[in-house]
Each structure stands twice: as structure tokens, then as C-alpha cells.
Amino acid sequence: MKAIVFEQHGGCEVLKYREVPRPQAGPNDVVIKVKASACNFNDIWARRGLPGMKILLPHISGSDAAGIVVEAGSEVRNVKVGDEVVVHCGISCRQCYYCTRGEEYFCPEFKIWGFQTGPLDGAHGEYCKVPAVNTLPKPPNLSFEEAATIPLVLVTVWRMLVSRAHIQAGDFVLVWGAAGGLGVMAIQIAKLFNARAIAVASADDKLELCHKLGAEFLLHRKKHDIFQEVRKITDGRRADIVFEHTGAETWPISMQCLKWGGTIVTCGATSGFDAHLDIRLLWNKQQNYLGSHLGNKGELIDAMRFVESGHIKPVVGQVIELKNVGKAQDLMESGAIAGKIAIIPPAA
Ligand code: NDP
């Protein structure tokens, strides 16, 4: 089968479109014919290489897939050949203390499929293999391209806002990168809970998209003073929740924008890992700084109900052929895309 493979870290030039063996299902696995996959920022981290994290080479990225089951292992009960599925990318042992508490992201064996799981390759090929327990039915109201762009960002944002930050009706939620993969989910989940999203993005067309998705307030991060605008919008009270993933560059502003007793929830650091923290704010203002990482399959199932009901919609900014994954990563790295990029294999 064809796949996108890299054998060394570097720029997009290390990504090679080439022939690799088709995966075979073990007793508890399924093999999926990939009809579409998606681009996530972890594809870029893996390709660049991250200090302290070993990526097994050669590596095939891709943490989201939608497709059809073509092979099911002898022990598989939850899914069968011919089923249309999407993939939950959190791989864990399903047997340890944490897994049995529904805290799979704390499992000593926890890995994000397609990011940390070599030799279990990711979705950027014509076929992929995953443990059967990691599949969910594809929402019938979505195309394969749409469905492939949903699970990773949806489960991450659901966990951040619902499970961790306990979003409530009326909350002002400051959303950085609001037209990005996580951001478009954050706006829609805020709306679902009758909270009030303050969307931040760096282009007018991106802000227009945020408005269509339900953001009540739109801030252009290159034109507006974000802190002053948030103060105005919230009548001086500041945001109840700051939705962070942008990291060192935005963190000081996020802290400024947060109300006393408010919550910053973060899952990433696109602009850098070392952020300054004045810990006096932590106790004086009794603020909450919460980390969040992916989510469990139950959280994804809960959130998927709102995709099936049409309350949360996929936002496919562009569809790109598998052989051009490098171009897709380029677009993502440069912030040129609003929403998600779907990847389609040949003759999918
Ligand atoms: P996208 O590239 O789709 O969107 C990120 C957005 O962030 C961009 O659209 C850009 O918007 C904005 N941005 C980038 N740099 C800056 C900056 N310096 N200041 C302000 N805004 C900035 O990525 P995702 O939404 O998919 O992911 C975002 C981050 O979250 C990544 O670092 C990713 O690795 C991490 N992540 C972590 C997960 C976890 O479980 N821990 C899961 C998913 C993602 P604009 O320029 O318009 O403001």
C-alpha cells in the first residue's frame, strides 16, 4: 500500500510517499481501509522531533482516520468487517489501575496513535491497524472526510472545557486560535453550554468563520489589545475560562485576562514551553491552572452524540491528497488554514 513515511526528523522534505507492507490484524485488532484521515499538529511535532520523546523510525503519522473495517481479529466482538468507523487515538493497556478508572491517559503504556506508537503506524496510508476497542461508529450524517477531522480535536476540547474546566451557562470563554482545529470545537462546545465564546484569531476571514460557528465576540490578535478588549466585553470582570494551547507567547495575556477564581485550561504550547508565572496571582486571585491531555473514549462517545445531532459540526478547511501531506503540514504550520485539513488516499 502507499503511505507517507519519514526516516529522519526535519522539514516537510523528509516526508516520502512510498510503498509499505499492508498491516495485518492481531487477535484484538482491526484493519481499516482508510477513506480519509486528518492533519493534526502532533504530525508536525513528530516530524520535527521533540526533546525527551523518542519517535521510532521509520514513522507513519496520522492520529485520525475514518474508513471501513476490512479485517477483524479472532477476538474482536465490538465491530465487524464492512462497518464504517472512526478511531479514538488514545492507546492504553485497558487493564491497569488507571485504565479501569476511565483514566486511560494516566496509563503507563498510554500513547497517542500515529504520534507515539511506532511500529503501530498511523493513518497516513491506504490502510491502518488499531485495537478494535479504539473504533467508534462513523456518524452517519458525516462524509468520511468530515468524520476524519473530528475525533482527536473533539475529545481534547470536550475534556478541557467539560470535564476539566466545568464550563457553565453564561461563562465568558476566551478561545485562542479560535479558527484552528481545537478552536472551532471550543466555540461550538461553548455555544452548546450557552457560554459566551470570545474568539481570537489572526485574520478577518478566520474571525468570520468563528462568528458563523457561534462566537459572540471576535478579536483580531494583531489589531486588538486582547486584555483591554476582554475587560470591556466582560464589564471589567474578565474571562471565566481561558482556553489555552498557544503557549509561551500568549500565557501572560491569558493570565491577565482571567477573572479572580477563574480557570485557565491548557493542552499545548505551540509558541513555546517556557511561560512565566507570577505565583502571587495563583493564591491572591485563587485562580485555577489546569492541564489536560486528549481524553478517554467515554468522553469521545459523549461528545460524538452532539456531532450526530448536528450541534457540533466538522469544519473542513481543505481536502488534500495523501501524496501531498507535506503541503498540508506546511499550510498548518504557517497558520494558513481555518478549520481542519482532511487527507484522502488514492481511490479512497
Ligand atoms: P491548529 O494549527 O489547527 O490551530 C492553532 C491556532 O493557534 C492557529 O490557527 C493560530 O491561529 C493559533 N496560533 C498559533 N501561534 C499562535 C501564537 N503565537 N499566538 C496566538 N495564536 C497562535 O492546531 P490545533 O488547534 O490542532 O492544535 C493547537 C495546539 O494544541 C498544538 O500545539 C497541538 O499540538 C496541541 N494539541 C494538544 C493536544 C493534547 O491532547 N495535549 C491535542 C490536540 C492539540 P491564529 O494565527 O489565527 O491566531
Side-chain angles (χ1 to χ4, degrees), residues 14 40 55 72 80 89-90 94 105-106 141 150 154 172 188 190 193 205 220 236 248 253 284 293 308 321 331 335 341:
V14 302
N40 283 292
I55 304 270
K80 60 183 186 316
C89 65
R94 308 272 164 200
Y105 27 72
F106 298 145
N141 53 330
I150 290 269
L154 177 64
F172 285 102
Q188 296 185 84
F193 281 79
D205 57 337
H220 193 305
I253 311 170
N284 277 330
H293 189 45
E308 283 161 16
E321 288 178 45
L331 289 169
I341 302 175

Side-chain angles (χ1 to χ4, degrees), residues 129-145:
K129 173 175 89 168
V130 291
V133 69
N134 283 73
T135 60
L136 285 80
K138 176 181 89 63
N141 53 330
L142 301 189
S143 67
F144 284 105
E145 283 93 338

Side-chain angles (χ1 to χ4, degrees), residues 4 12 15 34 36-47 61-66 89 112-115 122-125 144-154 156 179-185 315-334 337-345:
I4 292 284
C12 290
L15 300 172
V34 179
S37 60
C39 237
N40 283 292
F41 218 91
N42 65 17
D43 307 337
I44 295 168
W45 296 124
R47 192 205 70 222
S61 291
S63 303
D64 272 316
C89 65
I112 296 182
W113 173 60
F115 176 41
H124 291 166
F144 284 105
E145 283 93 338
E146 289 172 329
T149 64
I150 290 269
L152 185 146
V153 286
L154 177 64
T156 303
L182 296 177
V184 296
M185 290 294 138
V315 182
V316 182
Q318 205 154 325
V319 179
I320 289 182
E321 288 178 45
L322 180 64
K323 63 180 181 210
N324 294 325
V325 160
K327 179 184 162 203
Q329 290 190 10
D330 247 350
L331 289 169
M332 202 170 175
E333 264 178 308
S334 63
I337 290 289
K340 297 280 299 175
I341 302 175
I343 303 292
I344 42 164

Side-chain angles (χ1 to χ4, degrees), residues 251 255 258 262-265 277-278 281-282 287-291:
W251 188 263
M255 286 173 57
L258 189 65
T263 299
I264 298 184
V265 60
L277 168 66
D278 180 343
L281 293 177
L282 196 57
Q287 294 175 329
N288 309 294
Y289 301 161
L290 302 181

Side-chain angles (χ1 to χ4, degrees), residues 269-315:
T270 310
S271 69
F273 305 122
D274 288 324
H276 175 74
L277 168 66
D278 180 343
I279 54 175
R280 285 171 303 180
L281 293 177
L282 196 57
W283 80 71
N284 277 330
K285 296 189 175 181
Q286 300 192 45
Q287 294 175 329
N288 309 294
Y289 301 161
L290 302 181
S292 197
H293 189 45
L294 204 69
N296 63 41
K297 189 183 174 191
E299 288 168 313
L300 180 56
I301 292 168
D302 288 344
M304 273 293 198
R305 286 180 304 159
F306 297 100
V307 175
E308 283 161 16
S309 66
H311 290 90
I312 298 176
K313 294 188 166 49
V315 182

Side-chain angles (χ1 to χ4, degrees), residues 16-283:
K16 306 291 178 209
Y17 184 59
R18 68 165 207 225
E19 202 65 37
V20 298
R22 190 184 129 166
Q24 310 277 308
N28 293 299
D29 303 324
V30 290
V31 173
I32 299 168
K33 178 169 171 48
V34 179
K35 302 289 280 180
S37 60
C39 237
N40 283 292
F41 218 91
N42 65 17
D43 307 337
I44 295 168
W45 296 124
R47 192 205 70 222
R48 287 181 187 162
L50 273 172
M53 202 188 97
K54 191 167 166 44
I55 304 270
L56 210 67
L57 301 174
H59 183 87
I60 298 177
S61 291
S63 303
D64 272 316
I68 299 171
V69 174
V70 291
E71 192 188 337
S74 55
E75 301 303 313
V76 173
R77 301 283 176 271
N78 63 321
V79 65
K80 60 183 186 316
V81 170
D83 285 357
E84 297 185 350
V85 293
V86 294
V87 175
H88 166 56
C89 65
I91 307 274
S92 65
C93 78
R94 308 272 164 200
Q95 293 174 29
C96 72
Y97 169 74
Y98 292 112
C99 285
T100 52
R101 284 167 56 91
E103 295 172 330
E104 58 186 70
Y105 27 72
F106 298 145
C107 170
E109 292 175 29
F110 179 76
K111 289 193 168 86
I112 296 182
W113 173 60
F115 176 41
Q116 300 157 307
T117 50
L120 178 61
D121 293 322
H124 291 166
E126 291 180 280
Y127 294 85
C128 65
K129 173 175 89 168
V130 291
V133 69
N134 283 73
T135 60
L136 285 80
K138 176 181 89 63
N141 53 330
L142 301 189
S143 67
F144 284 105
E145 283 93 338
E146 289 172 329
T149 64
I150 290 269
L152 185 146
V153 286
L154 177 64
V155 72
T156 303
V157 179
W158 188 266
R159 178 161 180 75
M160 288 173 76
L161 288 180
V162 182
S163 310
R164 298 288 281 148
H166 302 300
I167 189 169
Q168 292 189 19
D171 279 352
F172 285 102
V173 184
L174 178 66
V175 180
W176 289 104
L182 296 177
V184 296
M185 290 294 138
I187 293 172
Q188 296 185 84
I189 291 172
K191 188 172 173 218
L192 188 69
F193 281 79
N194 285 322
R196 314 178 72 184
I198 307 171
V200 184
S202 63
D204 291 331
D205 57 337
K206 287 186 177 182
L207 288 170
E208 201 180 307
L209 169 70
C210 297
H211 174 65
K212 284 192 190 134
L213 292 172
E216 268 190 57
F217 307 94
L218 307 172
L219 299 179
H220 193 305
R221 71 177 167 94
K222 296 188 173 155
K223 294 182 187 163
H224 287 118
D225 178 330
I226 303 297
F227 171 52
Q228 291 304 340
E229 294 300 323
V230 168
R231 278 184 59 177
K232 272 189 240 162
I233 291 166
T234 59
D235 229 357
R237 199 181 71 192
R238 312 184 193 188
D240 300 276
I241 299 174
V242 177
F243 179 82
E244 253 285 347
H245 52 86
T246 36
E249 267 183 42
T250 52
W251 188 263
I253 311 170
S254 295
M255 286 173 57
Q256 271 187 314
C257 289
L258 189 65
K259 79 167 191 187
W260 292 47
T263 299
I264 298 184
V265 60
T266 185
C267 74
T270 310
S271 69
F273 305 122
D274 288 324
H276 175 74
L277 168 66
D278 180 343
I279 54 175
R280 285 171 303 180
L281 293 177
L282 196 57
W283 80 71

